[in-house]
Structures are given as C-alpha cells and as structure tokens.
Amino acid sequence: MTGGFVDDYLSYLLARASHLVSRDFHAQVKRSGLGVAEWRVLATLSDGGPMIIGELARRVLYEQPTLTKVIDRMEEGGLVTRAAQESDRRRIEVRITPAGTAAVVGLLPAAKMHETQLLASYSPEEVALLKSVLRTLIDRLSAD
Amino acid sequence: MTGGFVDDYLSYLLARASHLVSRDFHAQVKRSGLGVAEWRVLATLSDGGPMIIGELARRVLYEQPTLTKVIDRMEEGGLVTRAAQESDRRRIEVRITPAGTAAVVGLLPAAKMHETQLLASYSPEEVALLKSVLRTLIDRLSAD
DNA sequence: TGTCGTTATATGAATTTTCATATAATCTGG
DNA sequence: CCAGATTATATGAAAATTCATATAACGACA
C-alpha cells in the first residue's frame, strides 16, 4: 500500500494534503449554501478588496473563462458586482457586496479555527517552516 | 496584495503550492497525450499494482463516479483492464496494460527530475520536515 | 489618425465532473 | 435460507469546466 514512488512524490503529497485539509471545511462551506468557488472568491475579495478578473482567477486557481462564469453566477446572486475600470475599460473590477460579505462573515472565523485545530499538534517551528517552504515554492513558481 | 488572512491560510498555501508545483509537469503530461487523470491512475497502478475502483478513487482524489468514467475511457483506449474479483464480485480490479505502462514509462523519471529541481534549493532537513508534516496531516485526515 | 500587435474579458461547443440514485453482490440476524 | 442492511460500482441528467476563439480596449508607431 505504501512505499512506492507516488507516496514520496512531492506533487502527490501536496495534492493529497490539500485535498484532505480542505475536505471537511468545504463540506461546511456547502452547508452554508456556498460552493467552493464562491467561498474562494468571497474570501479573497473580503480579504484584499476589489480585484480584476484575471488577477482573481490566478488567486482562486481557476482558468479565466471558468472564473468569468463563476462571477456571472455570483453577480446574478447579488454576491459581487462587476464594473470596468475608468482608466482601462478592458479591466473588469469585481467587488464584494454587503450580501457577499454577509455570506462569508461566518465562515472566516470557522476557517481560522479549522486551521488552528489542524496545526495544534505541530510545534510553532514546524508550522513556520512548513508555511515558509510553501510560500517560497509559490513565490518562485509564480514568477513567470 | 499580500498580508491578509488568505495569504497565511494553510488551506490556501497548500492549494496554491499544489497547483503551481503541478502546473509545468501537467503541461508535459498533456503534451505526451495523456490527461492529468490518466497520468495519476497510471502512475498509481504502475507503482502499486492492481487496485479496486474505490481505493483508486481515493488515491487519485476523484469521486468514485468520476473515476468510473475515467476508467471507462482508459479501458476503451486500452490503457487499463477491468475485472471483478473472484472472492467478491462487487470489487472491480483495475490493472494496467502493457500499453498503459508504455504510456507512463517516460513520464515517471521526468516526474522525479521535476521534483528534484523544485527541491534543489532546500536543505535535506527542510525537505524531510516538509514531507513529514504533509504525511502526518494526510495520515491523520485519512483515518475516518 | 489609422493600422497592427497586445492585453483583458466573454462566449460557445464539447468534454468532464458531480449529485442522486440505480443495480448488483455480500453480509447478518433470525 | 430469507429479508433487510450494507458495500461497491454504474448510470443519467444537470452543472461546471475547459479549449479555442471572438470581441473589445489599449498602446505604439508610421
């Protein structure tokens, strides 16, 4: 069952850890009436302010055409608004609405709590190193 | 751009690192004529031998009905075969074919090389701790 | 200012994925 | 041995995702 190539392969460890770590919380997200895509968009916007489609797509790990359709649905549902920037009307700024904020406000502390529980059995040094390695990987691979 | 909740959130760091780490290699997989799902299935089977649908679905991080359809296509394409176990005919064993092996055989060393390059700038201790934390997270969350 | 190359988002058709449930085999208690 | 509960996979309709490309706005330069 274990011991082969795959079980020591970084891509697989990351994919599986990511999958499992998200699983329980994503179930909670769905119970609250949001999909995972909506959760990611709202968490990102509520965290960092308005963002254009392309940047938001990179942030939430979707292709641009996929995100455009997610935003279509969310705009329809009143969770976000869409408006072209004055200075460059190609750039469409997505902005969270009060309804969107209301939809995530309860999930944000739940997410923090979920993370705290997950990491409770590791030392602060281990957690710091884990996050540091992940962040440097991300930074390096984002620079394209 | 940085410094908010999301940028320090473990789920997000894992998802983004996983996404970026896989991106280049997945492009290579697609150039070789396989999809990501096919690559994962073939890598898993070539690594660990035949496996029933349900276990394989957990391994490759797909829902069971999704994997059933992936296996439909792969069986159609001659990459795997499907056969019920003697002892329990509900359990369908998926087995890699010579054609399946031929399709992944070039990718496996490429995957190893990709990982080696990614981790080249970290110390062995950092790599060991990273993988150890990921594995303990996985083990803990798999136990359900 | 008009044309060309570039960047940003949208769209449509085809594929893939999901959700709920059907089918089928096995197990369990009486 | 039988009826109901459980487990494993398959199926079908609906939804989401992707790929290629269309549309539209901007930038540079003659």
Side-chain angles (χ1 to χ4, degrees):
Chain A
M1 171 109 36
T2 56
F5 162 61
V6 170
D7 294 289
D8 186 57
Y9 181 42
L10 181 66
S11 278
Y12 179 65
L13 292 174
L14 283 172
R16 187 159 174 80
S18 174
H19 182 83
L20 289 171
V21 161
S22 303
R23 191 186 47 181
D24 295 344
F25 183 67
H26 284 176
Q28 184 173 351
V29 167
K30 284 171 195 164
R31 282 194 298 277
S32 90
L34 290 175
V36 172
E38 285 76 16
W39 150 248
R40 285 193 186 161
V41 167
L42 293 175
T44 301
L45 293 179
S46 94
D47 201 47
M51 204 170 287
I52 67 170
I53 296 272
E55 172 63 12
L56 192 52
R58 268 188 299 282
R59 284 302 207 111
V60 300
L61 314 177
Y62 284 100
E63 303 296 316
Q64 173 267 310
T66 307
L67 182 66
T68 286
K69 286 163 191 176
V70 170
I71 298 298
D72 288 347
R73 302 194 289 268
M74 294 179 73
E75 194 178 20
E76 186 78 16
L79 299 173
V80 299
T81 59
R82 196 167 3 199
Q85 285 185 355
E86 294 289 326
S87 56
D88 184 344
R89 282 177 321 205
R90 292 172 304 179
R91 300 161 71 87
I92 304 295
E93 227 166 46
V94 183
R95 192 176 299 270
I96 194 167
T97 63
T101 301
V104 274
V105 75
L107 289 171
L108 292 166
K112 286 186 205 194
M113 199 153 27
H114 179 241
E115 165 161 348
T116 301
Q117 286 172 358
L118 274 174
L119 294 176
S121 63
Y122 301 96
S123 72
E125 292 76 20
E126 287 173 320
V127 173
L129 179 59
L130 170 67
K131 289 190 172 183
S132 158
V133 172
L134 294 176
R135 260 193 292 263
T136 55
L137 276 173
I138 290 167
D139 288 347
R140 191 139 49 84
L141 292 166
S142 296
D144 285 339
Chain B
M1 172 107 41
T2 55
F5 162 62
V6 170
D7 294 289
D8 186 56
Y9 181 42
L10 180 67
S11 278
Y12 179 65
L13 292 174
L14 283 172
R16 188 159 173 79
S18 174
H19 182 83
L20 290 171
V21 161
S22 304
R23 191 187 46 182
D24 295 343
F25 183 67
H26 284 177
Q28 184 174 350
V29 167
K30 283 172 196 161
R31 282 194 299 277
S32 88
L34 290 175
V36 172
E38 286 76 16
W39 150 249
R40 285 191 187 164
V41 167
L42 294 176
T44 301
L45 293 180
S46 93
D47 201 46
M51 203 171 287
I52 66 170
I53 296 273
E55 172 63 12
L56 192 52
R58 267 188 299 282
R59 286 299 208 114
V60 301
L61 314 176
Y62 284 100
E63 302 295 317
Q64 173 267 309
T66 307
L67 182 66
T68 286
K69 285 162 191 177
V70 170
I71 297 298
D72 288 347
R73 302 194 288 268
M74 294 180 73
E75 194 178 18
E76 187 78 16
L79 299 172
V80 298
T81 59
R82 195 166 6 198
Q85 285 185 355
E86 294 290 327
S87 56
D88 184 343
R89 283 179 319 209
R90 291 171 305 180
R91 301 162 71 90
I92 304 295
E93 229 168 44
V94 182
R95 191 175 299 268
I96 194 168
T97 64
T101 302
V104 274
V105 75
L107 290 170
L108 291 166
K112 286 187 203 192
M113 198 152 30
H114 180 241
E115 166 161 347
T116 301
Q117 285 172 357
L118 274 174
L119 294 176
S121 63
Y122 301 96
S123 73
E125 292 76 19
E126 286 173 320
V127 173
L129 179 60
L130 170 66
K131 288 190 173 182
S132 157
V133 171
L134 293 176
R135 260 194 292 265
T136 55
L137 275 173
I138 290 167
D139 288 347
R140 191 139 50 84
L141 292 166
S142 296
D144 282 344

